[in-house]
Amino acid sequence: MGTPAERLIPAATFAAPRRIHRAEAGGTIACALLMAVSLILYRLNSHVGMTVWPDSTRYMGISPIPYDAPVYHWMLVLPHAWGVPLLTAALAWGIVTLCANVALVFALVRRASGDWRHAVVGTALVALAPQFVSLHAAVISEPPFITFVLLTLWFALDYFARGMRRDLLLASLMLGMATLTRFTDPPLGAAIVLVILTDARVSLSRRIADSAVLALPGAALFFGWVAVSTLTVGHSIGRELQFYGNMGAAQWWANLKTTAAWILPDAVPLSIRLALL
């Protein structure tokens, strides 16, 4: 039988793995419940059909104005070429991207906080927000764009945690796909490069090389499409190759107040809305 102390050793040895297992199970169940609630809200918002906006007709290929970023257009027209109605394809992709985005938000918040309970609160704030629900119930490119952005962040965090260039390559490819879904993603790549270049844990030469690993594959993916699209259909991005979004102080303040209005109505004092935001 052994001494009392010896009999306690196995329990102490296996206590930590059991706690980890319970935490993993709790997180999995919580994420599944959040996903189920999100799907119910998705069904309630799309029970009479997907929302079709003017931009939707461009992605569906039924507008005289050509589409911009091609990925969502491909997601709709390729199933349509096999006989799937455009709105049915949009409905299916809405479900796929909704599940992926809820799971990725949960995983990222859990990874950052180290606690699945924090991830539940953070994911609920995102997944139950009206704008998040309405985006996924519309024929629009934002949901897959969000998916690629979150995947970019996940693989970038893998790189910073493990230092493996394979993760950086995957982040670059996800960044390229995000840019081909909406043209607004290059600043995210610039931000990640800035973090790489200021990471004092590694040598400067390694930082420069790793920045190139992040920048070049995704850029090759994007500019390769630009070249092929220009040669085959005569257009690509339809705008200048430059960063957008520089705003003055007045516009920035107006946008901040508009964003705060998503939290609580305008009747609530701005100081309270900004604090919650």
Side-chain angles (χ1 to χ4, degrees):
M1 294 293 292
T3 66
E6 289 172 341
R7 290 197 297 269
L8 289 175
I9 290 176
T13 302
F14 293 104
R18 282 199 296 268
R19 286 196 298 269
I20 294 173
H21 178 73
R22 286 196 296 269
E24 291 291 337
T28 301
I29 294 171
C31 184
L33 290 174
L34 282 169
M35 195 173 296
V37 173
S38 298
L39 288 170
I40 292 171
L41 292 175
Y42 176 79
R43 176 59 181 167
L44 292 174
N45 279 268
S46 60
H47 72 282
V48 294
M50 300 286 286
T51 303
V52 178
W53 292 334
D55 283 352
S56 305
T57 60
R58 299 169 65 179
Y59 292 112
M60 297 166 72
I62 58 176
S63 170
I65 303 174
Y67 62 86
D68 287 329
V71 167
Y72 189 61
H73 172 72
W74 295 338
M75 291 168 65
L76 296 180
V77 299
L78 290 179
H80 184 62
W82 299 332
V84 179
L86 287 169
L87 291 179
T88 302
L91 186 71
W93 281 117
I95 295 172
V96 171
T97 55
L98 175 63
C99 293
N101 290 339
V102 171
L104 285 167
V105 169
F106 185 91
L108 283 165
V109 178
R110 183 175 183 175
R111 181 175 191 167
S113 66
D115 192 327
W116 67 267
R117 293 165 295 186
H118 296 165
V120 169
V121 176
T123 306
L125 288 172
V126 174
L128 305 183
Q131 58 269 45
F132 185 88
V133 174
S134 61
L135 277 179
H136 287 81
V139 185
I140 204 68
S141 62
E142 273 84 350
F145 173 73
I146 293 171
T147 304
F148 287 123
V149 166
L150 295 176
L151 286 171
T152 302
L153 292 174
W154 180 266
F155 289 121
L157 289 174
D158 277 349
Y159 161 76
F160 288 118
R162 303 186 299 186
M164 296 179 63
R165 284 178 173 167
R166 180 191 63 186
D167 298 321
L168 205 57
L169 174 61
L170 291 171
S172 179
L173 294 176
M174 293 301 101
L175 183 68
M177 291 298 295
T179 306
L180 288 176
T181 307
R182 293 190 66 82
F183 294 145
T184 57
D185 206 45
L188 174 61
I192 297 173
V193 167
L194 181 62
V195 176
I196 293 173
L197 291 175
T198 55
D199 185 0
R201 296 176 300 174
V202 297
S203 65
L204 179 60
S205 60
R206 173 65 187 258
R207 283 179 264 169
I208 294 174
D210 286 357
S211 298
V213 171
L214 177 73
L216 295 180
L221 186 64
F222 175 75
F223 287 107
W225 168 80
V226 169
V228 171
S229 180
T230 302
L231 293 173
T232 55
V233 297
H235 70 87
S236 55
I237 64 173
R239 62 187 72 178
E240 296 178 1
L241 288 172
Q242 63 180 23
F243 286 114
Y244 287 90
N246 296 325
M247 60 180 73
Q251 186 180 3
W252 186 90
W253 181 247
N255 287 344
L256 180 63
K257 291 192 291 185
T258 301
T259 305
W262 283 103
I263 307 300
L264 289 172
D266 286 339
V268 178
L270 180 61
S271 58
I272 295 177
R273 288 186 283 124
L274 289 180
L276 290 174
L277 176 64

